Structures are given as C-alpha cells and as structure tokens.
Amino acid sequence: MNKRIIIYCLLANLFLSCSIQKEPATELQTQYSAKWQTALQEKLPLLGHRNWIVITDMAYPLQAKEGITTLYANEPYTEVLGTVKKMLDNSSHVYAHTYQDKELSFLEEDICPGIANLKEEMKKVLSPSEIMHIEHDNLIDRLDSISNLFEVVIIKTGLTKPYTSTFLSLIANTGTIADNPYSTDG
C-alpha cells in the first residue's frame, strides 16, 4: 500500500513538473530590466546621505550582508550607468560622489581586449573630472563598513571586465554644494 502511494506521488510530481511552461528568454530579459529599474526607483526616495549605489560587472560577488540589496540588470553596463545617473540627476534630495577602481586606469587593450572602447563609452556617461579613483580593496572595505549602518544597493550587469565597478556615494542635497555640511563622505 505504501509503495503505491509513493509511486503515485512520484508520478504526479513528474507530471506536474513537466507541464510547467518556461518563460521565453525575451520576456525574462524584459522582467530583469523592469525589475531593477522599478526597484531602484522605489528605493531612491528612501536613500539619502551615506547610502551607496554600485554598478558592477558580472564577477562582483553576491554579498549576504543584511544592509546590501543586490539587483541584476540585463542591459549593457554603460546603459545601466547612464540610467542610474539620470535617476540621481533628477533626484532633488541627493547627489553622488563618484568613485572607480584605480586599477581600471592600468588596464590596456593587450591584457583586457575591449577595455579601451568601454572606457570611451564610460566617458560619454560620466565626465572623467567627476570621478575619484581609489584602490579596489579600499572601496570594498568602505562598502563593508558603510553597510553595517547604511543601505547599499548593488546593480550587477553582464559585463565581464575587471575593475570596472562604479561606486556612487550619496550626499544630501542642501541646495548649494559649497555650503553643504554633508559634502564629505565621513
């Protein structure tokens, strides 16, 4: 009797698992695209001084810390960077200090094919004068420390080039940057 019930349950499970339809890849890609943008748009009014947004490559590790939210974007890295920058530019309550890995400046075409083109694309989104370059390990340590008290949003992309993450440290927008008591990253 027990054997029949087990066989019946196994067959029912097999039948049900085979009948589940998978979503087409294009629908799934659209969902990823809409999901990260919607999630960030909903979270942005809650973010403020000392929160961070990080746009990363695919190899960036998924962090298990409670203060870190990780989203996935299917769009190209520079498109995601541009979208996040626009969201911040249109935000009245925060602006961002921008950091990139210092090691990015050492990457050349011979050791990282395609990096020159990526750097040019990044310049179209972010002015080099607004980027501060800090060693990768120092930026990661900063994120680790900050996420103990403040929310960090990480947006992973499909990019597979090292040291290409962009770190956006949010600063309270008090109207004038020169007089802003929050203008340091503290």
Side-chain angles (χ1 to χ4, degrees):
M1 175 86 169
N2 284 341
K3 209 177 201 182
R4 278 190 181 166
I5 293 173
I6 291 172
I7 290 173
Y8 175 75
C9 288
L10 288 172
L11 288 174
N13 194 15
L14 179 65
F15 174 75
L16 288 173
S17 65
C18 289
S19 67
I20 295 173
Q21 265 188 320
K22 295 197 177 199
E23 295 180 83
T26 53
E27 262 183 62
L28 195 56
Q29 289 170 350
T30 304
Q31 282 182 347
Y32 273 132
S33 177
K35 270 187 176 179
W36 81 263
Q37 290 182 36
T38 302
L40 184 59
Q41 198 66 49
E42 288 173 357
K43 195 174 270 282
L44 192 55
L46 304 174
L47 300 176
H49 183 66
R50 296 182 192 253
N51 290 122
W52 285 56
I53 300 172
V54 184
I55 299 95
T56 71
D57 60 87
M58 183 62 91
Y60 194 89
L62 178 61
Q63 295 179 317
K65 213 169 194 181
E66 198 172 309
I68 297 176
T69 300
T70 302
L71 306 171
Y72 179 75
N74 208 38
E75 297 88 348
Y77 177 86
T78 52
E79 188 177 318
V80 173
L81 185 59
T83 300
V84 173
K85 184 171 181 345
K86 264 188 210 153
M87 285 182 182
L88 289 172
D89 288 348
N90 291 326
S91 172
S92 61
H93 70 293
V94 291
Y95 65 95
H97 285 179
T98 306
Y99 301 93
Q100 286 183 333
D101 296 328
K102 192 176 198 174
E103 293 86 345
L104 177 61
S105 63
F106 303 120
L107 291 179
E108 297 295 333
E109 210 53 38
D110 59 333
I111 57 170
C112 187
I115 197 69
N117 185 49
L118 178 63
K119 287 178 182 180
E120 285 304 311
E121 290 295 313
M122 290 165 103
K123 284 180 188 174
K124 292 177 184 174
V125 178
L126 295 171
S127 167
S129 65
E130 63 184 299
I131 301 169
M132 292 170 265
H133 297 276
I134 296 179
E135 290 176 354
H136 179 76
D137 287 343
N138 290 341
L139 284 167
I140 299 303
D141 288 346
R142 236 187 226 190
L143 272 190
D144 185 46
S145 174
I146 285 168
S147 65
N148 286 322
L149 296 174
F150 304 101
E151 180 80 16
V152 174
V153 177
I154 295 172
I155 305 167
K156 287 185 71 154
T157 68
L159 182 66
T160 56
K161 306 241 179 287
Y163 300 116
T164 52
S165 297
T166 300
F167 299 77
L168 303 164
S169 171
L170 303 186
I171 308 298
N173 187 355
T174 60
T176 59
I177 293 173
D179 299 328
N180 190 342
Y182 298 109
S183 68
T184 61
D185 288 323

